[in-house]
């Protein structure tokens, strides 16, 4: 070697710590560089090490945040899915009840709706329910008309 003891990263950090605690106020960047140069402390490797560590920490934080958001979205979608499936099953029961009621007064019409009911996907149940509701209204109107007209 050239007579100088090889300095480790720990030595540099200890020297930096001692320098900071010996002063009442933090020196400016230029003054700090000047003092470190006088002490023979090369901070290039320390700066690049700290910079790489900081980049890694920030990357892990972004990944953790992205994961948290993804999990939150997944939970929202699961909750929505559960509420829709509950809504669909309740609507399916409501439509089936309307078909049963229709079957009492119009068995042929109930058969038509029963075939539709068997093939209808959950997203179209509301349309089938609306059709049955309109049919109920029309039957009510025609019954009222028959009573008044006869």
């Amino acid at each position: 070697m050239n007579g100088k003891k090889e300095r480790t990263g720990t030595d540099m950090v200890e020297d930096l710590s001692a320098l900071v605690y010996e002063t009442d106020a933090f020196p400016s960047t230029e003054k700090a560089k000047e003092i470190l140069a006088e002490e023979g402390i090369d901070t290039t490797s320390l700066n690049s090490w700290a910079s790489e560590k900081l980049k890694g920490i920030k990357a892990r934080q972004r990944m953790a945040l992205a994961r948290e958001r993804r999990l939150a979205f997944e939970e929202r979608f699961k909750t929505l899915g559960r509420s829709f499936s509950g809504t669909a099953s309740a609507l399916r029961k409501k439509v089936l009840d309307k078909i049963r009621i229709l079957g009492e007064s119009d068995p042929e019409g109930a058969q038509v709706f029963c075939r539709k009911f068997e093939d209808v996907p959950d997203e179209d149940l509301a349309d089938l329910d609306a059709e049955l509701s309109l049919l109920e209204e029309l039957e009510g109107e025609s019954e009222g008309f028959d009573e008044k007209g006869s």
Side-chain angles (χ1 to χ4, degrees):
M1 281 201 233
N2 57 8
K4 268 188 151 179
K5 179 182 165 196
E6 188 66 29
R7 298 180 56 81
T8 65
T10 305
D11 293 334
M12 287 187 242
V13 171
E14 286 174 355
D15 288 346
L16 274 171
S17 176
L19 177 65
V20 167
Y21 289 113
E22 286 177 6
T23 60
D24 291 335
F26 288 109
S28 66
T29 305
E30 294 80 24
K31 181 67 176 168
K33 286 180 181 177
E34 201 176 288
I35 294 170
L36 290 170
E38 287 173 6
E39 295 290 325
I41 300 172
D42 180 22
T43 59
T44 308
S45 61
L46 184 60
N47 285 340
S48 60
W49 173 83
S51 177
E52 289 301 314
K53 289 292 182 185
L54 188 59
K55 286 178 187 176
I57 290 168
K58 286 181 179 179
R60 284 191 295 280
Q61 284 176 334
R62 285 193 305 273
M63 290 294 292
L65 181 61
R67 182 175 190 279
E68 285 176 26
R69 286 185 178 172
R70 179 183 56 83
L71 292 173
F73 282 130
E74 283 179 5
E75 187 57 35
R76 275 186 182 157
F77 287 132
K78 285 178 185 176
T79 302
L80 284 173
R82 285 190 295 268
S83 69
F84 284 139
S85 68
T87 303
S89 63
L91 188 55
R92 195 167 281 283
K93 182 182 179 327
K94 180 180 172 187
V95 169
L96 191 56
D97 289 342
K98 285 184 178 183
I99 292 172
R100 284 187 185 129
I101 292 169
L102 178 64
E104 294 171 7
S105 62
D106 182 8
E108 293 82 20
Q111 282 183 337
V112 170
F113 276 101
C114 194
R115 283 188 213 109
K116 282 178 113 177
F117 175 76
E118 290 172 350
D119 296 334
V120 74
D122 288 346
E123 55 269 8
D124 294 337
L125 278 173
D127 294 337
L128 188 59
D129 181 44
E131 289 175 17
L132 283 164
S133 295
L134 287 172
L135 185 62
E136 286 174 352
E137 286 179 28
L138 289 173
E139 282 185 353
E141 289 175 9
S142 67
E143 286 174 8
F145 180 73
D146 288 343
E147 291 172 5
K148 289 178 188 174
S150 302

